[in-house]
Amino acid sequence: MEYHDAYDPVPLEDVHETHGPNDAGMMTHQFYAFNTVITLQAYADAARCAPAFDAARTASRAFERRLSRTLPHSDISRLNAASGERVAVHDDTAELLRAAVGYCADSEGLFDVTVGSVVRLWNFHEGVVPDRADVERALAHVDWKALRVSEAGERGGSWAQLADPQAAVDVGGIAKGWIADQLAALLAQHGLDAFVVNLGGNVMAHGQKPDGSPWRVGLQDPRDKNAIVGAVVVRDASAVTSGVYERCFERDGAFYHHILDPKTGFPATTDAAGATVVARRSIDAEGFSTTLLALGIERGMAFARAHEAILGAWFVDRDGTVHEA
């Protein structure tokens, strides 16, 4: 399962910038949230784009305040600190947690949203390898079945609960997909019909370019962060890539990447360097991409073919060869 570093606190200043239109008529808006750069691009005039961009940025700030694992008053932080008690959460948080449970159940044990106790032990910025005994102790509290969530529309409001008081939820491996879907819906509600939402490489594309051509998303070369080995076509769909090269380090001759196996607490063993999933919903693309990467090329291709939500899947091995499911 892919785990992003914990979301940074919301900046004190709402820093953002807008550029365009360029020669093709595309407006671009950028801001920082969820520990990454968010890029919104749309083919429309500035007057139509401005309120849509503002709404998406405002929504992102709200999502971050609810879903961050590090902000002390977020829904996720309060859930993790509740010592097994039921916690009232926003409807959005409950919706995301219900979706997360579904991917946990469907991932062959390679996606577990309660792996937060293990994630805390790793530091991929500083290249810290946790003690194996500490990992083993944390693994005793990794079990997505301990997460209980209210049903949609339940009387009394939304809530979540961890049956294991020492368990911890981390939605970093799925939240960006859910958020990308929400932002895309917001832009469409504001009348934009040709746009891209890019959450640090998690791409949601709506409509097509003015010349009728579709959006294209590159497949990164694992040997060179500035090169690609191919591209996939995306129209009214999302493309999400998980890669072992995104956050990694070497220590004493061993290679460590940030896609952890919930069964071991250590990086998943896989022959894939990257896995890209295209799906109608970005949450599906993200929810499945890390599972496919962890499964490896052969098992991942079989998994992709067995799931209707996956419109296409591509694997890149360490030599840069592309394998299409």
Side-chain angles (χ1 to χ4, degrees), residues 28-224:
T28 299
H29 183 74
Q30 289 185 313
F31 59 96
Y32 190 83
F34 321 118
N35 206 27
T36 194
V37 175
I38 311 301
T39 303
L40 310 177
Q41 296 179 303
Y43 286 101
D45 58 55
R48 289 175 58 203
C49 288
F53 290 162
D54 287 346
R57 193 177 66 257
T58 298
S60 294
R61 301 293 181 223
F63 295 146
E64 187 162 36
R65 286 191 294 271
R66 294 168 196 151
L67 303 175
S68 167
R69 185 169 57 84
T70 58
L71 293 176
H73 300 297
S74 75
D75 287 350
I76 299 302
S77 291
R78 291 188 300 105
L79 173 62
N80 289 342
S83 300
E85 296 296 319
R86 181 178 292 192
V87 174
V89 298
H90 193 279
D91 291 347
D92 286 345
T93 305
E95 179 182 321
L96 175 58
L97 291 176
R98 282 193 297 270
V101 167
Y103 295 108
C104 292
D106 198 27
S107 70
E108 299 186 17
L110 293 172
F111 184 95
D112 194 313
V113 75
T114 64
V115 79
S117 58
V118 175
V119 174
R120 294 170 179 168
L121 302 176
W122 288 87
N123 187 324
F124 287 91
H125 287 300
E126 299 179 7
V128 173
V129 180
D131 184 81
R132 189 170 293 273
D134 291 336
V135 172
E136 290 295 330
R137 282 191 290 271
L139 282 174
H141 306 288
V142 175
D143 183 358
W144 59 270
K145 294 177 183 176
L147 175 60
R148 301 167 182 170
V149 190
S150 58
E151 297 295 330
E154 185 171 317
R155 291 185 62 184
S158 295
W159 56 268
Q161 182 180 19
L162 285 167
D164 180 350
Q166 297 185 60
V169 166
D170 186 328
V171 295
I174 193 173
K176 288 181 183 176
W178 182 86
I179 292 166
D181 288 330
Q182 308 306 308
L183 299 187
L186 263 178
L187 297 185
Q189 289 168 13
H190 279 77
L192 302 185
D193 53 18
F195 60 80
V196 165
V197 174
N198 187 337
L199 277 69
N202 182 320
V203 179
M204 181 72 188
H206 189 275
Q208 59 190 19
K209 299 177 182 179
D211 63 3
S213 62
W215 309 91
R216 298 176 67 84
V217 177
L219 302 176
Q220 184 174 324
D221 187 336
R223 302 160 299 180
D224 182 354

